[in-house]
Amino acid sequence: MNTMRGVLTICPTPFFENGEVDVESIDRLVDFQIKAKISGLAVLGFLGEQHKLSSVERRLIIERFVKRADQRVPVWVGVRALGIQGAIEQAREAQALGASAVFVAPLDGVNDQGQFSFYASVAESISIPVVIHDFPDSFGTEISPAVVARLALEQIVTLIKMEEPPVGPKITEILKRSDNQCAVFGGLGGVYFLEELKRGAVGTMTGFAFPEILVSIYERYIAGDIAGAERVFDRYCPLIRYEFQPKLGLALRKYTYFKRGLLSSAFVRAPGMQIDPYSIQELESVIARVGLDLNQPGVFHID
């Protein structure tokens, strides 16, 4: 799994306006992401409203994403629980349903040894890889570079989705402490994607609703066209920045996917903000300002 690289899209969970899960929109979303040349799909993360789903819905969603992906790209599944046994149960379910990996949120209120033991226990319980999900702003728990490095050096967990600002120094420290044995993916909406790559990240794992932009940045960067990657990033940074808003970001992304014809509804389950008319105007204005057209179907060509 340390060969995994590129852009993984954290997919939203589609709902109808009545709040029921919309599996047909999952099919459209998967096909679109693959046409956009993403490297993989990530489902049931924080953006996927995992914490708002029943166990039956969780299973249904994993099954549908895995089936539609049909091994064309890997599918990573989010795990978040209050204790070790709950996390193991979710991880085993994901593996049984065909997930390629699980990305696991940390436990609350435990020290470094507790986090190490937690991730080691989950990793030992399944045969697919475990990815650390480091997102303190949402989970309220920080994961130290020392724990990440120890897990990597002992070849227990060698991947992390790292979302603790300032991202640059922590990426550098993780890679140094782990002797580059840990593969780091960025996140945070792609806001720091260029800097993450320059610090040694192998890609990003985020929910930005224009994945073709992130793919374009990544492909240029790994081809050695740093100036080209910088040019694309700078051009679309106003949109990346606007979309990644605390509390409102999910609604913005769902609205964008809805307008792009991929979701039947932009509905966000409670607790969660719905998009308001003024924010719709702002979003569409920013999209137009960077030269994109929401009425144009399909994947955009990013030059």
PDB file of all heavy atoms in Angstrom, residues 2-20:
ATOM      1  N   ASN A   2       2.144   1.155   0.351  1.00  0.00           N
ATOM      2  CA  ASN A   2       2.994   2.334   0.286  1.00  0.00           C
ATOM      3  C   ASN A   2       3.258   2.773  -1.144  1.00  0.00           C
ATOM      4  O   ASN A   2       3.875   3.804  -1.374  1.00  0.00           O
ATOM      5  CB  ASN A   2       4.316   2.083   1.014  1.00  0.00           C
ATOM      6  CG  ASN A   2       4.316   2.710   2.387  1.00  0.00           C
ATOM      7  OD1 ASN A   2       3.263   2.963   2.951  1.00  0.00           O
ATOM      8  ND2 ASN A   2       5.483   2.979   2.928  1.00  0.00           N
ATOM      9  N   THR A   3       2.810   1.978  -2.109  1.00  0.00           N
ATOM     10  CA  THR A   3       2.903   2.400  -3.512  1.00  0.00           C
ATOM     11  C   THR A   3       1.708   3.257  -3.905  1.00  0.00           C
ATOM     12  O   THR A   3       1.681   3.788  -5.011  1.00  0.00           O
ATOM     13  CB  THR A   3       2.969   1.175  -4.436  1.00  0.00           C
ATOM     14  OG1 THR A   3       1.770   0.400  -4.291  1.00  0.00           O
ATOM     15  CG2 THR A   3       4.175   0.303  -4.095  1.00  0.00           C
ATOM     16  N   MET A   4       0.727   3.392  -3.017  1.00  0.00           N
ATOM     17  CA  MET A   4      -0.448   4.193  -3.317  1.00  0.00           C
ATOM     18  C   MET A   4      -0.060   5.651  -3.410  1.00  0.00           C
ATOM     19  O   MET A   4       0.636   6.192  -2.544  1.00  0.00           O
ATOM     20  CB  MET A   4      -1.506   3.995  -2.229  1.00  0.00           C
ATOM     21  CG  MET A   4      -2.853   4.596  -2.564  1.00  0.00           C
ATOM     22  SD  MET A   4      -3.627   3.766  -3.954  1.00  0.00           S
ATOM     23  CE  MET A   4      -4.982   4.873  -4.282  1.00  0.00           C
ATOM     24  N   ARG A   5      -0.509   6.309  -4.477  1.00  0.00           N
ATOM     25  CA  ARG A   5      -0.161   7.698  -4.736  1.00  0.00           C
ATOM     26  C   ARG A   5      -1.354   8.420  -5.344  1.00  0.00           C
ATOM     27  O   ARG A   5      -2.299   7.797  -5.811  1.00  0.00           O
ATOM     28  CB  ARG A   5       1.010   7.792  -5.738  1.00  0.00           C
ATOM     29  CG  ARG A   5       2.313   7.140  -5.297  1.00  0.00           C
ATOM     30  CD  ARG A   5       2.993   7.987  -4.237  1.00  0.00           C
ATOM     31  NE  ARG A   5       4.341   7.511  -3.917  1.00  0.00           N
ATOM     32  CZ  ARG A   5       4.617   6.565  -3.039  1.00  0.00           C
ATOM     33  NH1 ARG A   5       3.620   5.957  -2.415  1.00  0.00           N
ATOM     34  NH2 ARG A   5       5.864   6.218  -2.773  1.00  0.00           N
ATOM     35  N   GLY A   6      -1.270   9.750  -5.396  1.00  0.00           N
ATOM     36  CA  GLY A   6      -2.227  10.516  -6.183  1.00  0.00           C
ATOM     37  C   GLY A   6      -3.360  11.125  -5.396  1.00  0.00           C
ATOM     38  O   GLY A   6      -3.234  11.436  -4.216  1.00  0.00           O
ATOM     39  N   VAL A   7      -4.492  11.278  -6.073  1.00  0.00           N
ATOM     40  CA  VAL A   7      -5.658  11.971  -5.518  1.00  0.00           C
ATOM     41  C   VAL A   7      -6.744  10.950  -5.193  1.00  0.00           C
ATOM     42  O   VAL A   7      -7.235  10.247  -6.077  1.00  0.00           O
ATOM     43  CB  VAL A   7      -6.206  13.009  -6.514  1.00  0.00           C
ATOM     44  CG1 VAL A   7      -7.485  13.649  -5.984  1.00  0.00           C
ATOM     45  CG2 VAL A   7      -5.145  14.071  -6.812  1.00  0.00           C
ATOM     46  N   LEU A   8      -7.079  10.852  -3.925  1.00  0.00           N
ATOM     47  CA  LEU A   8      -8.214  10.041  -3.489  1.00  0.00           C
ATOM     48  C   LEU A   8      -9.345  10.988  -3.111  1.00  0.00           C
ATOM     49  O   LEU A   8      -9.154  11.905  -2.308  1.00  0.00           O
ATOM     50  CB  LEU A   8      -7.863   9.158  -2.290  1.00  0.00           C
ATOM     51  CG  LEU A   8      -7.076   7.887  -2.590  1.00  0.00           C
ATOM     52  CD1 LEU A   8      -5.588   8.186  -2.720  1.00  0.00           C
ATOM     53  CD2 LEU A   8      -7.303   6.843  -1.501  1.00  0.00           C
ATOM     54  N   THR A   9     -10.498  10.780  -3.701  1.00  0.00           N
ATOM     55  CA  THR A   9     -11.647  11.627  -3.395  1.00  0.00           C
ATOM     56  C   THR A   9     -12.422  11.066  -2.215  1.00  0.00           C
ATOM     57  O   THR A   9     -12.831   9.901  -2.226  1.00  0.00           O
ATOM     58  CB  THR A   9     -12.595  11.720  -4.603  1.00  0.00           C
ATOM     59  OG1 THR A   9     -11.927  12.385  -5.676  1.00  0.00           O
ATOM     60  CG2 THR A   9     -13.844  12.515  -4.243  1.00  0.00           C
ATOM     61  N   ILE A  10     -12.605  11.891  -1.191  1.00  0.00           N
ATOM     62  CA  ILE A  10     -13.521  11.531  -0.106  1.00  0.00           C
ATOM     63  C   ILE A  10     -14.929  11.864  -0.580  1.00  0.00           C
ATOM     64  O   ILE A  10     -15.283  13.026  -0.766  1.00  0.00           O
ATOM     65  CB  ILE A  10     -13.193  12.278   1.185  1.00  0.00           C
ATOM     66  CG1 ILE A  10     -11.787  11.906   1.653  1.00  0.00           C
ATOM     67  CG2 ILE A  10     -14.210  11.947   2.257  1.00  0.00           C
ATOM     68  CD1 ILE A  10     -11.427  12.494   2.991  1.00  0.00           C
ATOM     69  N   CYS A  11     -15.711  10.837  -0.814  1.00  0.00           N
ATOM     70  CA  CYS A  11     -17.024  11.011  -1.433  1.00  0.00           C
ATOM     71  C   CYS A  11     -18.089  11.356  -0.398  1.00  0.00           C
ATOM     72  O   CYS A  11     -18.136  10.749   0.681  1.00  0.00           O
ATOM     73  CB  CYS A  11     -17.438   9.732  -2.156  1.00  0.00           C
ATOM     74  SG  CYS A  11     -16.334   9.267  -3.505  1.00  0.00           S
ATOM     75  N   PRO A  12     -18.966  12.285  -0.728  1.00  0.00           N
ATOM     76  CA  PRO A  12     -20.111  12.527   0.145  1.00  0.00           C
ATOM     77  C   PRO A  12     -21.100  11.371   0.041  1.00  0.00           C
ATOM     78  O   PRO A  12     -21.118  10.644  -0.954  1.00  0.00           O
ATOM     79  CB  PRO A  12     -20.712  13.809  -0.424  1.00  0.00           C
ATOM     80  CG  PRO A  12     -20.361  13.771  -1.879  1.00  0.00           C
ATOM     81  CD  PRO A  12     -19.010  13.115  -1.944  1.00  0.00           C
ATOM     82  N   THR A  13     -21.895  11.198   1.063  1.00  0.00           N
ATOM     83  CA  THR A  13     -22.967  10.213   1.018  1.00  0.00           C
ATOM     84  C   THR A  13     -24.214  10.868   0.442  1.00  0.00           C
ATOM     85  O   THR A  13     -24.721  11.835   1.021  1.00  0.00           O
ATOM     86  CB  THR A  13     -23.269   9.663   2.420  1.00  0.00           C
ATOM     87  OG1 THR A  13     -22.110   8.975   2.911  1.00  0.00           O
ATOM     88  CG2 THR A  13     -24.451   8.704   2.391  1.00  0.00           C
ATOM     89  N   PRO A  14     -24.717  10.381  -0.688  1.00  0.00           N
ATOM     90  CA  PRO A  14     -25.889  11.025  -1.308  1.00  0.00           C
ATOM     91  C   PRO A  14     -27.190  10.672  -0.578  1.00  0.00           C
ATOM     92  O   PRO A  14     -27.409   9.516  -0.214  1.00  0.00           O
ATOM     93  CB  PRO A  14     -25.896  10.442  -2.727  1.00  0.00           C
ATOM     94  CG  PRO A  14     -24.578   9.767  -2.922  1.00  0.00           C
ATOM     95  CD  PRO A  14     -24.154   9.332  -1.554  1.00  0.00           C
ATOM     96  N   PHE A  15     -28.032  11.678  -0.407  1.00  0.00           N
ATOM     97  CA  PHE A  15     -29.358  11.478   0.167  1.00  0.00           C
ATOM     98  C   PHE A  15     -30.403  12.106  -0.754  1.00  0.00           C
ATOM     99  O   PHE A  15     -30.121  13.072  -1.466  1.00  0.00           O
ATOM    100  CB  PHE A  15     -29.474  12.140   1.547  1.00  0.00           C
ATOM    101  CG  PHE A  15     -28.521  11.623   2.573  1.00  0.00           C
ATOM    102  CD1 PHE A  15     -27.513  12.431   3.072  1.00  0.00           C
ATOM    103  CD2 PHE A  15     -28.628  10.334   3.059  1.00  0.00           C
ATOM    104  CE1 PHE A  15     -26.632  11.974   4.035  1.00  0.00           C
ATOM    105  CE2 PHE A  15     -27.748   9.849   4.020  1.00  0.00           C
ATOM    106  CZ  PHE A  15     -26.740  10.669   4.503  1.00  0.00           C
ATOM    107  N   PHE A  16     -31.606  11.544  -0.711  1.00  0.00           N
ATOM    108  CA  PHE A  16     -32.744  12.223  -1.309  1.00  0.00           C
ATOM    109  C   PHE A  16     -33.164  13.376  -0.399  1.00  0.00           C
ATOM    110  O   PHE A  16     -32.690  13.498   0.729  1.00  0.00           O
ATOM    111  CB  PHE A  16     -33.913  11.246  -1.493  1.00  0.00           C
ATOM    112  CG  PHE A  16     -33.660  10.166  -2.503  1.00  0.00           C
ATOM    113  CD1 PHE A  16     -33.528   8.842  -2.093  1.00  0.00           C
ATOM    114  CD2 PHE A  16     -33.557  10.456  -3.861  1.00  0.00           C
ATOM    115  CE1 PHE A  16     -33.305   7.835  -3.019  1.00  0.00           C
ATOM    116  CE2 PHE A  16     -33.339   9.460  -4.796  1.00  0.00           C
ATOM    117  CZ  PHE A  16     -33.205   8.145  -4.381  1.00  0.00           C
ATOM    118  N   GLU A  17     -34.071  14.206  -0.881  1.00  0.00           N
ATOM    119  CA  GLU A  17     -34.545  15.339  -0.079  1.00  0.00           C
ATOM    120  C   GLU A  17     -35.240  14.893   1.199  1.00  0.00           C
ATOM    121  O   GLU A  17     -35.316  15.649   2.167  1.00  0.00           O
ATOM    122  CB  GLU A  17     -35.499  16.213  -0.909  1.00  0.00           C
ATOM    123  CG  GLU A  17     -34.805  17.124  -1.896  1.00  0.00           C
ATOM    124  CD  GLU A  17     -33.951  18.191  -1.238  1.00  0.00           C
ATOM    125  OE1 GLU A  17     -34.249  18.555  -0.075  1.00  0.00           O
ATOM    126  OE2 GLU A  17     -32.998  18.664  -1.861  1.00  0.00           O
ATOM    127  N   ASN A  18     -35.737  13.657   1.230  1.00  0.00           N
ATOM    128  CA  ASN A  18     -36.382  13.160   2.446  1.00  0.00           C
ATOM    129  C   ASN A  18     -35.374  12.549   3.427  1.00  0.00           C
ATOM    130  O   ASN A  18     -35.760  12.037   4.479  1.00  0.00           O
ATOM    131  CB  ASN A  18     -37.464  12.141   2.101  1.00  0.00           C
ATOM    132  CG  ASN A  18     -36.904  10.880   1.445  1.00  0.00           C
ATOM    133  OD1 ASN A  18     -35.691  10.729   1.267  1.00  0.00           O
ATOM    134  ND2 ASN A  18     -37.791   9.971   1.065  1.00  0.00           N
ATOM    135  N   GLY A  19     -34.082  12.596   3.080  1.00  0.00           N
ATOM    136  CA  GLY A  19     -33.047  12.106   3.979  1.00  0.00           C
ATOM    137  C   GLY A  19     -32.668  10.653   3.801  1.00  0.00           C
ATOM    138  O   GLY A  19     -31.765  10.165   4.485  1.00  0.00           O
ATOM    139  N   GLU A  20     -33.333   9.950   2.890  1.00  0.00           N
ATOM    140  CA  GLU A  20     -33.003   8.546   2.651  1.00  0.00           C
ATOM    141  C   GLU A  20     -31.763   8.438   1.758  1.00  0.00           C
ATOM    142  O   GLU A  20     -31.501   9.304   0.915  1.00  0.00           O
ATOM    143  CB  GLU A  20     -34.185   7.829   1.979  1.00  0.00           C
ATOM    144  CG  GLU A  20     -35.433   7.745   2.846  1.00  0.00           C
ATOM    145  CD  GLU A  20     -35.203   6.945   4.111  1.00  0.00           C
ATOM    146  OE1 GLU A  20     -34.590   5.849   4.019  1.00  0.00           O
ATOM    147  OE2 GLU A  20     -35.623   7.406   5.192  1.00  0.00           O
TER     148      GLU A  20
END
